[in-house]
Amino acid sequence: MKFSKIKQNDIANGIGIVMSLWTQGCPHHCRGCFNVETWDFDEGKEFTINDLNFIIENIDKNNIKRNLSILGGEPLCPQNVDGVISLCKELKGKYPEKMIYVWTGYVVEDFNENQREVLNYIDVLVDGKFEEEEKNLSIVLRGSNNQRVIDVKKYLENDKIIKLDL
Ligand code: SF4
């Protein structure tokens, strides 16, 4: 997995304060993307054990209880998905109570086996590409109306999309 940055305190990408990890590389190239600098797979840094430890050790820094948001870029493309699985598994192992949010340009019904594995370790999935014609600045956690904020546990239990009540 490659990433572009880790933000210690982020209030724009989650409910409350989150630590956010911005993965690097995106195959979708949505028109109007607000984050084109994360498209290039040759940019960014390799996510190492030191970065993982940084997240584990600092997620509650200064006694602030943070959740984790993973954005991009595309966290669930083949180049990044294994790293995302390891990170989420590790964080949930240490902090089961923490919520993990993941944003992806793929839609959950089309997930392959690897992408589905991520669902075992996360709480909220925001899926779908950004669509400029559907852009909406007033909706929570999303950039366009087609994107869905999915309650992952309920999705797995019921095998149908249950949107999070925000
Ligand atoms: S999926 Fe996200 S990062 Fe990738 S092009 Fe679309 S909006 Fe940009």
Side-chain angles (χ1 to χ4, degrees), residues 25-36 38-39 72-74 104-106 128-130 147:
C26 182
H28 303 301
H29 297 189
C30 308
R31 193 158 47 86
C33 170
F34 61 99
N35 211 6
V36 289
T38 62
W39 286 7
E74 174 51 73
T104 180
Y106 299 104
K129 290 184 195 174
F130 171 71
Q147 295 171 315

Side-chain angles (χ1 to χ4, degrees), residues 1-4 6 21-25 41 43-48 51-52 55 68 70-71 74-88:
M1 167 172 56
K2 290 183 91 178
F3 73 107
S4 63
I6 295 172
L21 169 73
W22 301 73
T23 58
Q24 182 69 33
F41 285 95
E43 297 290 330
K45 295 164 275 189
E46 205 57 51
F47 187 82
T48 67
D51 300 307
L52 175 63
I55 291 175
L68 179 71
I70 305 176
L71 316 97
E74 174 51 73
L76 304 188
C77 62
Q79 296 89 336
N80 290 331
V81 66
D82 290 336
V84 169
I85 292 170
S86 303
L87 166 61
C88 294

